[in-house]
Amino acid sequence: MARVALKTAAKLALVFAGTVALFVLLLVCAALVPRSAIQGHMLETAEFLCERPAVFELVPGVKESTVDRYADSLLMSIVYFWDEEDPLGSVMRSSFYGDWTVRQNELLLESVASGRSPNQEYIRYWHGSGAVLRPLHLICGLREIYILCAVVLCALVVWLMMVLHGSHMDAEAVGVCVALVTVNVWFVPFCLEFVWVFLIAIAASAIAVPLAIRGKRELLAMLFMVIGMITAYLDFLTAETLTLTIPLLLVVRASERESTAGGLWSFAVCCGMLWLLGYAGAWASKWALASVVLGKDAMPYVSGHIAERLDRNVGLDTAQYLWQTIERNVSLQYGSAVVVVLALTLLCVMAYLTAKGKLVRAESVNWSHVLLFFAIGLVPYVRYLALHAHAWQHAGFTYRAQAATVFAAWLILSEVFVRSRTDAGASEISA
């Protein structure tokens, strides 16, 4: 047993090291793209970002449609100032021109149009999306990239739906769609800051479900670690838990038929811990690499920002602070007209199917599985409380992590209520 555990740990370490090496290679390759070659399209991007305020509602009056293009402007400045003469050092340093204000879109335009030099550093993030964004600026600007993100997101959702349908998980496919609707997924592609977690979560789910059905637990364990690493690489600290919770809920559901409840619990905890290991380890590896490459301690650039996200003074005592953090995120998730209409529609459909005898309470409910779904659905709220200063300030996008809570609730309902045997038998005969 000890030898098997040691062998597994060695594999995980090799995968981790190889993934970090790939992260660095991708960034260096992107930085080698000459700045002069992206100048024209980067100017288009800067002008496009200045057409609207840095933070605004895509649909006026709809808070759930808020996009934060301050972060997109900052990211574009970082990507623009990567230096082909010093690719490794520049991607580790992540310099940009501007300041920490919502004027960053205007300052980006100023720097690109007037040849300003960078005056700030953003060492603590990988900014891994730049590995895609800088080469794309050879052929297009950000306006087109947003459209591309929408196309890719739609394609990934279709892929996941096909995987779930092929795995006889049609109810779960509907549940995923319901969860995405409740977080207004149609606004997601139009802000780089929070699109990546959705792309990762959906793609990871499509890969993980077939592995779960085939019982490939060792591969799944490695997959969750890599998912955590990719999340740290691409995300700007938004709704990062989605990349754990949505794939994990689907993996648990797909594994139910082969596994005991106890085995599912221990496996789910293992996957969660490996995701967290990958996520935290990727962050730490960036700081360590930056310290080595730049020849200075990167932690002073990191520690202050960590403390700020854990506790920022907003004039509230701790209890009020925590309560408002949850309240702000919950109100955005469940207070929107879309969610209210959807919830009422689903309740009416369930009531109709129950009255017609097509939907009945399960004769035997596996409460251990119900509790596991419930526990995974609580993950977003644990994150809100742990990083309450960040979740309080940025509820406009952190609320979307609750898509997992909605999906978990869907799976719980599907455990408690099932199609009646008569209705299921009739469907089989007609098929």
Side-chain angles (χ1 to χ4, degrees):
M1 182 66 72
R3 183 177 296 178
V4 172
L6 187 61
K7 185 178 179 181
T8 301
K11 288 181 180 179
L12 290 171
L14 284 173
V15 170
F16 182 92
T19 305
V20 170
L22 180 61
F23 285 172
V24 175
L25 178 63
L26 290 173
L27 289 177
V28 168
C29 288
L32 288 171
V33 174
R35 189 181 304 163
S36 59
I38 64 171
Q39 177 84 22
H41 288 300
M42 190 61 74
L43 183 59
E44 290 178 16
T45 287
E47 291 171 343
F48 168 65
L49 287 170
C50 286
E51 290 176 3
R52 306 286 290 272
V55 180
F56 66 97
E57 296 169 348
L58 284 169
V59 179
V62 179
K63 293 184 295 183
E64 299 81 19
S65 72
T66 300
V67 292
D68 186 355
R69 290 184 179 168
Y70 155 72
D72 288 10
S73 301
L74 196 152
L75 176 62
M76 288 296 99
S77 186
I78 290 168
V79 169
Y80 178 69
F81 281 111
W82 284 347
D83 185 1
E84 63 266 31
E85 300 297 326
D86 179 25
L88 181 58
S90 64
V91 298
M92 289 293 113
R93 189 177 294 107
S94 297
S95 300
F96 67 98
Y97 173 78
D99 56 33
W100 306 98
T101 72
V102 291
R103 289 189 59 246
Q104 185 56 45
N105 55 343
E106 299 170 11
L107 295 171
L108 171 65
L109 179 58
E110 181 183 331
S111 65
V112 176
S114 305
R116 302 286 187 181
S117 298
N119 61 351
Q120 302 278 356
E121 294 181 349
Y122 210 175
I123 290 177
R124 68 182 182 273
Y125 286 99
W126 276 99
H127 308 291
S129 59
V132 175
L133 296 173
R134 187 167 170 117
L136 278 177
H137 271 79
L138 290 169
I139 58 174
C140 65
L142 186 57
R143 190 192 306 269
E144 292 77 22
I145 290 173
Y146 285 146
I147 296 171
L148 178 61
C149 285
V151 171
V152 172
L153 181 60
C154 289
L156 289 176
V157 170
V158 170
W159 178 30
L160 178 57
M161 295 302 104
M162 291 173 63
V163 168
L164 293 175
H165 176 70
S167 303
H168 307 290
M169 298 175 67
D170 292 331
E172 289 75 13
V174 175
V176 170
C177 291
V178 168
L180 292 176
V181 167
T182 64
V183 296
N184 301 279
V185 70
W186 39 84
F187 298 128
V188 167
F190 303 104
C191 184
L192 293 177
E193 184 177 19
F194 45 72
V195 70
W196 308 110
V197 292
F198 283 85
L199 300 182
I200 298 167
I202 295 168
S205 297
I207 296 169
V209 167
L211 292 177
I213 290 174
R214 296 200 300 269
K216 303 291 185 180
R217 291 201 163 189
E218 184 175 330
L219 287 176
L220 279 169
M222 291 183 183
L223 176 64
F224 274 96
M225 184 185 73
V226 172
I227 292 169
M229 296 179 71
I230 295 173
T231 304
Y233 187 64
L234 295 175
D235 186 43
F236 240 146
L237 196 61
T238 58
E240 69 287 337
T241 55
L242 278 176
T243 68
L244 165 66
T245 49
I246 296 295
L248 186 56
L249 285 165
L250 284 168
V251 163
V252 169
R253 187 63 158 171
S255 303
E256 275 184 320
R257 62 197 72 166
E258 290 101 6
S259 306
T260 63
L264 271 181
W265 266 94
S266 60
F267 181 64
V269 170
C270 176
C271 289
M273 294 302 293
L274 284 169
W275 181 93
L276 186 60
L277 174 66
Y279 185 73
W283 280 88
S285 64
K286 170 58 167 67
W287 305 335
L289 283 168
S291 296
V292 171
V293 172
L294 302 177
K296 59 182 178 181
D297 183 7
M299 285 310 295
Y301 296 88
V302 175
S303 55
H305 295 287
I306 293 176
E308 184 181 8
R309 277 148 181 76
L310 291 174
D311 192 15
R312 173 182 297 175
N313 184 11
V314 293
L316 300 171
D317 63 40
T318 301
Q320 289 176 318
Y321 207 165
L322 296 175
W323 173 256
Q324 283 197 16
T325 297
I326 298 296
E327 183 182 44
R328 287 161 71 93
N329 282 272
V330 166
S331 63
L332 280 168
Q333 170 75 2
Y334 304 111
S336 71
V338 170
V339 175
V340 171
V341 171
L342 180 63
L344 290 174
T345 301
L346 290 175
L347 285 173
C348 290
V349 170
M350 285 188 65
Y352 173 79
L353 293 176
T354 302
K356 290 292 185 178
K358 296 178 180 295
L359 197 65
V360 298
R361 189 182 185 281
E363 294 178 2
S364 178
V365 178
N366 191 322
W367 293 107
S368 180
H369 291 182
V370 168
L371 186 59
L372 179 52
F373 292 137
F374 181 76
I376 298 172
L378 286 181
V379 167
Y381 305 105
V382 175
R383 189 273 197 208
Y384 295 154
L385 295 176
L387 298 177
H388 55 275
H390 180 269
W392 186 93
Q393 181 184 11
H394 297 298
F397 52 75
T398 59
Y399 86 90
R400 288 191 168 92
Q402 294 169 103
T405 309
V406 173
F407 186 41
W410 180 276
L411 294 177
I412 290 171
L413 286 173
S414 68
E415 286 280 347
V416 177
F417 295 96
V418 296
R419 292 174 65 189
S420 68
R421 291 180 178 178
T422 303
D423 187 57
S427 298
E428 291 174 5
I429 291 171
S430 61

